[in-house]
Amino acid sequence: MKIHPMWDEYPALRNELEATISLIEEHIRIKNIEVQNKIKEMLFSGGKLLRPAYTILFSQFSSKQNVEKSRALAAAVEVLHMATLIHDDVIDESNIRRGQATMNAAYNNRIAVYTGDYLFTVCFRLLQDYVNEAGEVPLDTKGMETILIGELNQMSKKYAVKMRMRDYLSQVKGKTAQLFALSCYSGAYSRDEKFAKQAYQIGNNIGMAFQITDDILDYSYDAKKIGKPPMQDLRNGIYTAPLLYAMETKKKEIEPYLLKKESITDEELLQVLKIVEESGGIEKARELAAKYTNKALKQIKNLPDVDAKISISRITEQMLQRNF
Amino acid sequence: MKIHPMWDEYPALRNELEATISLIEEHIRIKNIEVQNKIKEMLFSGGKLLRPAYTILFSQFSSKQNVEKSRALAAAVEVLHMATLIHDDVIDESNIRRGQATMNAAYNNRIAVYTGDYLFTVCFRLLQDYVNEAGEVPLDTKGMETILIGELNQMSKKYAVKMRMRDYLSQVKGKTAQLFALSCYSGAYSRDEKFAKQAYQIGNNIGMAFQITDDILDYSYDAKKIGKPPMQDLRNGIYTAPLLYAMETKKKEIEPYLLKKESITDEELLQVLKIVEESGGIEKARELAAKYTNKALKQIKNLPDVDAKISISRITEQMLQRNF
């Protein structure tokens, strides 16, 4: 099994993540071998598994930790993430993810939409079979609804020239941060609810920092290194922190480029990049990500002293500095 | 509240269906008013509510019937149906359903995909809050998975010239019939599991007859009466019973038309219709639908004698003769 090399220095966690992936694999039961294999390809494609990792680590703060249950929660979180990725690829008409053809590209929208729907039910089944029967509900439909409602409340449109930092932050909070928050919360719940709420806040801050950092990468000349061409977000009408900060002072210069929408040329994209850089937009975005990271690290420092605390702290630092 | 007039002669059931719709309405909690209203528009658009009606009627065979629970099951079934319709419209790029703009047409694919996903979680929440906590699981994730797996196993492609009756029947069984079967099964479960399995078979036969009848309508010159232009399925590369029966004897004549795919003209569509009629394809399809209907009616006759039995029998007859 191919697990991202970042986990090599955490052998126990790495084993647990492998067991989580195996649990997911057991729960995928589609007769159509091609679709089944495509889901497994995605499962084994070396994704970072950050969300289930946080679930597992936060579950280790409880003396009454139930390994099987935590693993099912971690699996549910990852399957939910996979379902949203597959649906996002349909919506964005993306052809490539993690170096492999997306479900919609490899087959068609029908297969992709239904595969995402199917994974939703797998997520619910994992919760139903392993978790909720114990009477506790550390992760339930309400948490998932929040993610989907977040997405709907945004009405996030592409090429939304009127979008501002406030809208961006509320979008990031609604989706990426919410799923990180739930991942931490659900793992932490086996200790007690108060602790779970602390974990939720930490996850939220980690998620905010994670998404902002991810968005900054698109404004980096080195973007190609991370597997996607630079300025793809802007090209696709997705406006993120560096641009939105730049818009606060250079609106008049940038807006004409945005109004070109799909027809913007590569050269024009580089001109926007130059304006964003000169306006300090990238630096401001980095400072914002650092603010959330520091908030998370400070909160983690206040957690009870167990081994998992050190791992959480290190992983969060490494992840947000994109050291892996 | 606008309930389809077909229920006017069943006032008690009509009231219960209204209560079901209200229960669904209470569970839709999206801040974005436009999306919220669009979901409610769909909810109140006068759909036939056949699936929840069967759930309610089959729940009335039990002496220990719990009205609140049956209503939640009926609501879950209808919400699941709505979610799949919204996703189907995205996949098929449909603009109109029940005379109203589809979610993807009124907004965009992003909103439509996430609204469908959101409704899936609403369905699970209804089951979680009202049903499964009683320890019984008359409708669970496995039933839903079956529907979605059915869809995936088909790999149903448009313009599949090699498609035959066998493939068609397995498609209909996997989706339409399965949801009808689950609707009956989940209502019947409060009596006992054996009875629920009988109800499942009945629902399966009703669903088969329902879909075949629906597909025949597309080959009727009167198709316009039911709100869609004739030969739409064929135009969209969806091959159903009348055509597939015709293909069994007139393959050589029909195939060249099918190979034209999207570029088929209105005149050519009418030529195909003529071949299908002459080959007896429509009659054979009608006989097939009648076979499933009679099977269902015979099974209904063997059910225990309660008032609901008469309603189930009459509704099934009326529905399948498209008397409403």
Side-chain angles (χ1 to χ4, degrees), chain A residues 245-313:
Chain A
Y245 273 128
M247 286 284 280
E248 291 177 356
T249 54
K250 306 272 185 182
K251 184 167 175 285
K252 277 192 186 154
E253 288 175 56
I254 296 172
E255 217 169 58
Y257 290 105
L258 303 190
L259 293 169
K260 287 177 182 274
K261 298 189 176 177
E262 292 91 337
S263 66
I264 195 164
T265 65
D266 285 1
E267 206 185 320
E268 287 165 339
L269 282 171
L270 290 178
Q271 282 160 7
V272 178
L273 178 54
K274 211 170 153 231
I275 302 171
V276 170
E277 278 177 338
E278 283 171 6
S279 74
I282 296 173
E283 271 162 59
K284 282 184 202 157
R286 274 206 201 98
E287 281 161 23
L288 183 67
K291 203 188 85 187
Y292 282 109
T293 305
N294 290 333
K295 227 166 152 181
L297 290 173
K298 210 171 141 190
Q299 289 165 320
I300 293 166
K301 221 174 166 183
N302 290 328
L303 294 179
D305 279 318
V306 304
D307 291 348
K309 175 176 164 174
I310 301 161
S311 303
I312 291 175
S313 192

Side-chain angles (χ1 to χ4, degrees), chain B residues 47-286:
Chain B
K48 294 199 200 75
L49 304 175
L50 289 166
R51 295 157 191 82
Y54 278 113
T55 304
I56 291 164
L57 287 170
F58 270 101
S59 77
Q60 292 170 356
F61 282 84
S62 169
S63 53
K64 49 187 197 296
Q65 194 216 354
N66 174 335
V67 174
E68 207 187 28
K69 195 174 127 179
S70 307
R71 194 181 296 158
L73 276 168
V77 161
E78 184 63 13
V79 168
L80 179 61
H81 179 52
M82 286 170 72
T84 60
L85 291 182
I86 292 171
H87 280 177
D88 283 349
D89 287 338
V90 171
I91 293 164
D92 298 335
E93 298 173 19
S94 307
N95 296 317
I96 297 279
R97 178 178 293 275
R98 295 179 193 159
Q100 288 164 332
T102 56
M103 197 72 77
N104 44 307
Y107 300 106
N108 53 44
N109 280 354
R110 180 172 292 276
I111 300 288
V113 169
Y114 279 110
T115 300
D117 292 350
Y118 170 70
L119 290 178
F120 268 107
T121 66
V122 172
C123 170
F124 285 109
R125 176 151 50 92
L126 281 160
L127 297 178
Q128 185 176 282
D129 288 0
Y130 295 88
V131 183
N132 295 346
E133 68 180 11
E136 281 181 42
V137 186
L139 178 61
D140 64 1
T141 54
K142 289 189 194 78
M144 294 171 213
E145 278 174 52
T146 313
I147 294 178
L148 300 166
I149 291 177
E151 193 65 33
L152 286 170
N153 287 341
Q154 307 311 332
M155 290 278 276
S156 61
K157 284 185 190 129
K158 290 179 169 194
Y159 305 104
V161 178
K162 286 191 179 158
M163 182 161 168
R164 295 293 171 262
M165 270 306 286
R166 199 183 44 180
D167 310 307
Y168 167 77
L169 289 175
S170 122
Q171 263 181 29
V172 174
K173 192 177 163 65
K175 196 170 175 189
T176 312
Q178 175 70 16
L179 189 47
F180 272 95
L182 270 181
S183 303
C184 297
Y185 177 91
S186 62
Y189 200 92
S190 59
R191 186 178 167 109
D192 61 55
E193 209 180 327
K194 193 181 155 228
F195 178 66
K197 281 179 181 166
Q198 274 181 279
Y200 185 95
Q201 292 307 327
I202 294 172
N204 179 62
N205 287 323
I206 293 172
M208 294 299 293
F210 178 82
Q211 188 61 53
I212 295 163
T213 307
D214 205 56
D215 291 337
I216 293 168
L217 285 177
D218 198 48
Y219 285 81
S220 143
Y221 286 113
D222 291 339
K224 267 195 176 148
K225 272 192 200 162
I226 58 149
K228 55 177 193 177
M231 305 298 277
Q232 272 306 97
D233 286 346
L234 188 62
R235 190 193 300 271
N236 292 327
I238 297 162
Y239 304 147
T240 61
L243 183 89
L244 296 168
Y245 273 128
M247 285 284 280
E248 290 177 355
T249 54
K250 306 271 185 181
K251 184 167 175 283
K252 277 192 185 155
E253 287 174 57
I254 296 171
E255 216 169 61
Y257 289 105
L258 304 189
L259 293 171
K260 287 178 184 276
K261 299 189 177 177
E262 291 92 337
S263 66
I264 195 163
T265 65
D266 285 1
E267 206 185 320
E268 287 165 339
L269 282 172
L270 290 177
Q271 282 161 6
V272 178
L273 177 54
K274 211 171 153 233
I275 302 172
V276 171
E277 278 176 337
E278 285 170 3
S279 74
I282 296 174
E283 271 162 58
K284 281 184 202 157
R286 275 207 200 96

Side-chain angles (χ1 to χ4, degrees), chain A residues 27 29-32 34-35 84 87-88 90-92 107-111 113-115 117-118 120-122 124-125 128-129 132 137 140-142 144-145 148-149 151-153 155-158 175, chain B residues 27 29-32 34-35 84 87-88 90-92 107-111 113-115 117-118 120-122 124-125 128-129 132 137 140-142 144-145 148-149 151-153 155-158 175:
Chain A
H27 278 72
R29 304 173 192 145
I30 299 174
K31 269 188 225 146
N32 184 297
E34 282 177 285
V35 176
T84 60
H87 280 178
D88 283 348
V90 172
I91 293 164
D92 298 336
Y107 299 106
N108 53 45
N109 280 354
R110 180 170 294 276
I111 300 289
V113 169
Y114 279 110
T115 301
D117 292 350
Y118 169 69
F120 268 107
T121 66
V122 171
F124 286 110
R125 176 151 50 92
Q128 184 176 281
D129 289 0
N132 296 345
V137 186
D140 64 2
T141 55
K142 290 189 194 78
M144 292 171 213
E145 278 174 50
L148 299 166
I149 291 177
E151 192 67 30
L152 287 170
N153 287 341
M155 290 277 277
S156 62
K157 286 183 187 131
K158 291 181 170 192
K175 197 168 174 190
Chain B
H27 279 73
R29 305 174 191 143
I30 299 175
K31 270 188 226 147
N32 184 295
E34 282 176 284
V35 176
T84 60
H87 280 177
D88 283 349
V90 171
I91 293 164
D92 298 335
Y107 300 106
N108 53 44
N109 280 354
R110 180 172 292 276
I111 300 288
V113 169
Y114 279 110
T115 300
D117 292 350
Y118 170 70
F120 268 107
T121 66
V122 172
F124 285 109
R125 176 151 50 92
Q128 185 176 282
D129 288 0
N132 295 346
V137 186
D140 64 1
T141 54
K142 289 189 194 78
M144 294 171 213
E145 278 174 52
L148 300 166
I149 291 177
E151 193 65 33
L152 286 170
N153 287 341
M155 290 278 276
S156 61
K157 284 185 190 129
K158 290 179 169 194
K175 196 170 175 189

